[in-house]
Structures are given as C-alpha cells and as structure tokens.
C-alpha cells in the first residue's frame, strides 16, 4: 500500500471548501414569494428581414400591378405559391402575412430565398424615387437590426417603414 493511498491531495483540500462556500452563498433565481424575471424571446435577423420583405411584397401588390410583380419574381415565384406565401385572389394576388399558415416543410431558407428574389426583381416606387426592393429591405436592416427587443416592436416599425415612415414608432 502506497503512503499516499487514502489521502486527499493538497490542492483539492483547498478547492473543495471554496466551492462549497461559493455555492452556499448563491441564491436561486426565485426566492419564496419573488416573481421570476420574464425573458424576452429572441428575435432573429432572419425573422426581421422576412417581415420587411413580406410587408414590402404586400405593398407592391397594392401599389402596382400584382401580375407584373409576380412576373418579375422569376422562377422562384412557384415556391411562394407552394408555400402559401402568395395566393391568387380575384384579378390579382395577395400575400399571406400570417407566417404560421405557411407550409414551411418546403424549407424556410428556400422561402426566404424566393422572397429575396422577388425583392431583387422589383422596385419600391411609393416612397419617392424608385429603388430596388432588396435595397429598401437592406436599408431597413442596416438602420434597425438589433435596435428593438420584441416581435411586436419590429412589426410596428416595419409597417411604419414600408408605409414611408421613419420606422421609429
């Protein structure tokens, strides 16, 4: 039997009491009677960009000829129809703003790509000089990404921006 068997190494003797003291001093996040802190859901850049693109596409349909907007979108337009993002309605088209109803089994990244394609092939014409819609989206993202904390705040900001406002609501 070694003379070290059964002995606790010196550094462990010092570290163990420190760990016990530190863990003994910490308090749980919620003490009896205390309210837990509410956590704000994370808003991703992809969600914000998608919101700007969808609201911009919706406005394109109301401001101009939705047939022309769809024709300009190119081959990815079929994905927008298949996913339920765009619907034929009467003599034009409409955008489904409730993303929970979209068929995201088609892959949300592909849907985002199709929305991006629609933005690159069309212009925002209702806020002054015509500008490529993707530049319009990028301008919003450059100005507002990471400046707001909630989905509702971004949604209100995007709606204001797409309606030619400042986006600061």
């Amino acid at each position: 039997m070694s003379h070290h068997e059964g002995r606790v190494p010196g550094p462990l003797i010092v570290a163990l009491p420190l760990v016990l003291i530190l863990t003994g001093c910490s308090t749980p996040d919620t003490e009896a009677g205390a309210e837990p802190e509410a956590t704000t859901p994370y808003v991703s850049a992809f969600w914000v960009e998608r919101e700007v693109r969808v609201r911009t596409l919706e406005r394109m349909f109301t401001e101009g000829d939705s047939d022309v907007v769809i024709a300009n979108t190119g081959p990815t337009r079929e994905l927008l129809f298949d996913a339920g993002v765009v619907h034929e309605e009467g003599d034009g088209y409409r955008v489904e703003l409730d993303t929970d109803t979209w068929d995201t089994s088609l892959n949300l990244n592909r849907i985002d790509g199709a929305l991006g394609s629609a933005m690159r092939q069309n212009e925002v014409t209702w806020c002054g000089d015509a500008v490529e819609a993707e530049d319009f989206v990028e301008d919003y993202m450059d100005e507002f990404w990471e400046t707001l904390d909630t989905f509702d705040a971004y949604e209100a900001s995007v709606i204001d921006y797409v309606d030619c406002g400042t986006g600061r609501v």
Side-chain angles (χ1 to χ4, degrees):
M1 181 164 142
S2 162
H3 66 88
H4 291 292
E5 237 177 274
R7 291 180 59 205
V8 177
L12 189 55
I13 291 173
V14 172
L16 185 59
L18 285 173
V19 169
L20 292 174
I21 289 169
L22 291 174
T23 58
C25 291
S26 65
T27 58
D29 289 341
T30 57
E31 295 179 17
E35 291 291 320
E37 287 186 34
T39 57
T40 303
Y42 175 72
V43 180
S44 76
F46 297 110
W47 185 90
V48 174
E49 186 174 61
R50 185 177 311 118
E51 186 72 10
V52 180
R53 286 176 173 162
V54 166
R55 299 277 177 178
T56 301
L57 184 59
E58 175 194 41
R59 183 72 183 260
M60 283 180 204
F61 287 169
T62 61
E63 289 293 326
D65 184 341
S66 62
D67 289 326
V68 171
V69 172
I70 285 295
N72 288 346
T73 300
T76 59
R77 72 177 155 262
E78 290 308 314
L79 182 63
L80 296 175
F81 286 105
D82 293 345
V85 176
V86 174
H87 299 277
E88 199 164 353
E89 187 173 84
D91 60 348
Y93 301 93
R94 74 171 180 82
V95 175
E96 177 56 63
L97 298 175
D98 182 0
T99 58
D100 290 338
T101 65
W102 294 359
D103 180 359
T104 56
S105 69
L106 299 171
N107 187 320
L108 202 49
N109 291 332
R110 289 183 59 213
I111 294 168
D112 287 342
L115 286 166
S117 179
M119 297 298 105
R120 285 185 295 283
Q121 303 303 320
N122 287 287
E123 292 183 328
V124 170
T125 58
W126 59 90
C127 289
D129 294 335
V131 61
E132 181 184 297
E134 187 63 8
D135 290 339
F136 184 75
V137 171
E138 287 174 12
D139 288 346
Y140 179 87
M141 294 300 292
D142 290 345
E143 179 79 20
F144 292 100
W145 170 236
E146 294 186 317
T147 64
L148 303 169
D149 295 329
T150 65
F151 291 100
D152 290 343
Y154 272 110
E155 183 178 38
S157 172
V158 167
I159 289 169
D160 182 66
Y161 178 79
V162 171
D163 287 342
C164 307
T166 63
R168 300 184 196 299
V169 291

